[in-house]
Amino acid sequence: MRVLMFGWEFPPHITGGLGTACYGITKGLVKQGTEVIFVVPKAYGDEDTKAAQIKSASEVPFDLKDEEYKEYWSKIKYLEVGSNIIPYVSPEEFSRNMEKNVKTGVEFKSNVFSKYYKFSGKYTSNLMEEVARYALIASALSLKEDYDVIHAHDWLTYPAGIAAKQSSGKKLVVHMHATEFDRTGGNVNQQVYEIERQGMEVADSVITVSDLTRNLVIEKYGIDPAKVITIHNAVDQNYRKKAQHIKKNYDEKLVTFLGRITFQKGPEYFIEAANKVLKKDPKVRFAMAGSGDMLVKMIKHVARLKIADKFHFTGFLEGNDVDHIFAMSDVFVMPSVSEPFGIVPLEAMRSNVPVIISKQSGVAEILHHALKIDFWDIDAMADSIYGLCHYEGLSKMFRKYGKQEVENLKWEDAAKKIINVYQNLLIR
Amino acid sequence: MRSICFYFQVHQPMRLRSYRFFDIGEKHDYFDDLNNAQIMRKVAQKNYLPMNSLLLDLIHEYGSAFKVSFSISGTALDQFEAYAPDVLESFKRLAETGQVEFLAETYSHSLSALKSKQEFTSQVKEQAAKIESLFGQRPSTFRNTELIYSDEIGALVADLGYDVMLTEGAKHVMGWRSPNYLYTNAINPKLKLLLKNFQLSDDIAFRFSQQSWKEWPLTTEKFVGWLNQINPKEEVINLFMDYETFGEHQWAETGIFDFMKALPARVFSHSDFTFNTPLELGQTLQAVAPIHVPYPISWADEERDLTAWLGNELQDEAFDKLYALEEKVRQCDDPQIHHDWLYLQTSDHFYYMCTKWFSDGDVHKYFNPYGTPYEAFINYMNVLSDFIIRVEKNTTYGKDIAGQIKETAVKLAEKTGQLAKRKAKQASASVKKTVDKSKDIKFDDIKNLSNAAVKKLIHEVDVETLGIALKDAESEITGKILPNLGKRAKKQYEDLQTEMKKVSKSDINKYRREVESKLQKLFKKK
């Protein structure tokens, strides 16, 4: 079986959950013997480059830790389409960034506190136009390819998926990693909503990453429940253990938040809980890792609470730095207001870090060895943090069983279920 | 006779390196040596060296008629020593002319005057000592960081023994009054105040190259013309500015060096002004009135207040957390901690966190190594967090040693006391025992007696009594007595034993009691 996959972000530059999930699914699929044509948007910043580049998988700078998958690389065909579209961005933010970029003529610099993407001036600064342009190129490109099924991840690639379906007549699977409701907290952009709805309408099957998302898709988008199936995400088992010997050089316990600092992730609740804990016990430190449109507000908030000597901002982290901060952490907190799934707590548990997750997350459906709280319940959050920091019996248990638990969440198993979805479509 | 008083501020902060969260607790090098060195070399070439040599030429040309004054921060002096010894040499040559006054300030160009009298005092002393050791003159004029001044700060400076202090002639403080007189501190009139004429100072420092300014280009003719328009009764024009004005803020191409080179000649030929130092003015001018400054002023921005350094939540948090450490730092014995403590107080760190120019801050961006005030804050707090850990460790460490010594001493005293007590107890117990023993010494106790005592007893008791008393006695008792009997007595005793077939128990007891009473008599303690 061959899958035409419209995905996001391949290693070594993965900046968020969507990229991680696409990569995990692809690896799981190829391990099951499925072939994948992986198409991603990418800005080259180079005016002379062709609209798209076909690269053999061996040319893609895969992470070296993935030795295990080397033998499957031949099953992946990797296509890059020149485009500015990037994951995790709203249309408003997109045009703001683009206009700034065009005006100043300089590429966004990446610094410790923020992660910027490369933008190229030759593409439009309107995200919707850019999505349409990407769909056109991608589908044209896909005409030259031979495949059995199309799989598109999140709304930005749905138009490409729809176009490919229309031109090839193949079955389309769309994968909902997040909805517009999750990203905006209800302040929905109608255009985005419409693309999501249309994608799911046209699709032959819709995969949601949790029952939470499945219900939302059925209720708010009116999608036929019969074609919506939940397949929970997993976590990469091929984990680098190198960082585990890293020890922090201070006595305080470290409690970590890692994620985009946006409304969706509930950073302010984490800060409020930190403040409560610090009032009772100054022997705890907090770190907020990540970047986002609420970063500045959060920095000010921490300064106003006068806890900035115990509450640290690390800026955007990737690769080794993520392993590093997990190795130092005693507790990980994901206070998301709305989280379709949430892979990061699994990564924390894999690194032996006990986790506190919000009940409003998809991952809460499958995890047993995690403390679950309502995102708004900062008292419960503070209690849980304090407990995991001080009651060794509790944290020991969570470390031990949590690790065992995540070791059974394999991408191969998720991929098997996805292949099942494909096969059901092909039989029909 | 009227005066022009030039004061130039020379300051370079120790800029922090990009210090990450992961460095906390791991790395303790906070300062960007490479960047600091590069900036110092650049400013040295563009500003310090050419301007120092220009001033030296002017002094050589006009002798004692041309004078200037400098305030150089300790952090700048430290960087001269490290990266630009040639600049330091050229300042020394200026000092040698005797026409240059060096002022006192806080060592690290800090805001300590607003927070801690003790820290402020110690920094001023350290700075003054450094100036004296480098330039051979003990400062008697004081200028505070960014010309920050209030009645209270002035009184504090007067207490430190300074006669003259410089500050801003801020409009909201001066009202209708002119800055061109000598004033005094409102609390302690001994402290004389020289106030910056911001109009004429800023014409040189800020507007010199501004082509949109209607007076551009500024010439010495024009400038001296303005000086002559000033009311002849007004006594002193204080031209206070950053030294970096010359060649750095105003590039050489603007003609700023030529202006300064030509200014004294024009002043001498076309006006009755002389050049004087703050020290001279404090001694010669009569103060006209006290100036009331209940709230601190500075020379910064339109507001002439502290909002460039303090007031937003970022600045206040960093500032308060820093000074919360003061007492603990004082307890530390690690010189590196004291060193870092000084450099972390430099006002520039807080200036970088200012949000009031966030939208239009092009002028200020020039001085700011950070893209945003938030980056500045995070970087500073990361460094400060590590510094706090070091201070805590160092102070606790100190405490531990002292604590241990104390604990050991207490334990030792306790032990000695216990030992002494136990010994005393033992001694008294043994005395008591002996006394008790002698008091009611029993027949059975014979077995515990020494041979000498037994002999004494035998001496006192006749053999017959002894023989009966010993009838059926424990072998331990007979074994004690028999060897001590003389040959004759032994024979007598043995005969007695064979003769004696039956003796009643009561008789034996009677004889034993007799022995007992003898014993008690013999060994009774006095």
Side-chain angles (χ1 to χ4, degrees), chain A residues 248 251-255 271-286 306-307 309-312 330-331 381-392, chain B residues 321:
Chain A
K248 59 181 185 292
D251 303 331
E252 292 95 334
K253 301 277 181 184
L254 182 64
V255 183
I271 293 174
E272 287 299 338
N275 190 38
K276 279 190 179 273
V277 173
L278 283 170
K279 271 190 185 137
K280 195 177 161 75
D281 176 16
K283 282 260 166 223
V284 185
R285 281 179 195 275
F286 294 84
K306 306 205 167 295
I307 53 172
D309 55 333
K310 291 290 163 89
F311 195 110
H312 311 288
D330 297 284
V331 180
M381 202 186 298
D383 272 351
S384 309
I385 292 170
Y386 187 86
L388 286 173
C389 283
H390 288 86
Y391 311 136
E392 185 60 27
Chain B
K321 283 278 147 66

Side-chain angles (χ1 to χ4, degrees), chain B residues 341-470:
Chain B
W341 163 246
L342 275 181
Y343 288 173
L344 287 177
Q345 289 181 64
T346 301
S347 63
D348 302 64
H349 300 309
F350 304 98
Y351 184 88
Y352 302 146
M353 297 175 202
C354 185
T355 43
K356 65 176 183 171
W357 319 294
F358 203 16
S359 44
D360 63 336
D362 284 341
V363 185
H364 297 274
K365 239 178 203 164
Y366 186 84
F367 309 102
N368 193 339
Y370 299 98
T372 67
Y374 305 100
E375 285 171 44
F377 174 72
I378 288 173
N379 207 51
Y380 186 83
M381 288 312 296
N382 283 350
V383 167
L384 189 59
S385 299
D386 182 75
F387 185 67
I388 292 171
I389 293 173
R390 282 169 64 206
V391 169
E392 297 284 352
K393 266 190 193 157
N394 195 284
T395 34
T396 348
Y397 176 69
K399 253 186 232 151
D400 269 357
I401 295 282
Q404 272 171 20
I405 292 172
K406 204 174 155 193
E407 214 171 280
T408 319
V410 169
K411 261 189 197 156
L412 208 66
E414 261 173 24
K415 257 187 191 163
T416 323
Q418 276 171 3
L419 202 70
K421 261 187 203 161
R422 204 160 61 223
K423 283 283 175 204
K425 219 171 170 180
Q426 269 174 5
S428 78
S430 85
V431 167
K432 189 166 180 277
K433 213 166 157 188
T434 323
V435 171
D436 286 350
K437 225 188 241 166
S438 60
K439 202 190 282 171
D440 36 24
I441 192 162
K442 295 281 184 282
F443 181 76
D444 275 351
D445 290 324
I446 289 173
K447 58 190 173 199
N448 294 327
L449 291 177
S450 66
N451 284 336
V454 171
K455 274 186 179 142
K456 224 172 177 178
L457 177 69
I458 292 166
H459 199 71
E460 290 289 319
V461 187
D462 60 60
V463 180
E464 204 179 306
T465 313
L466 205 57
I468 297 167
L470 284 175

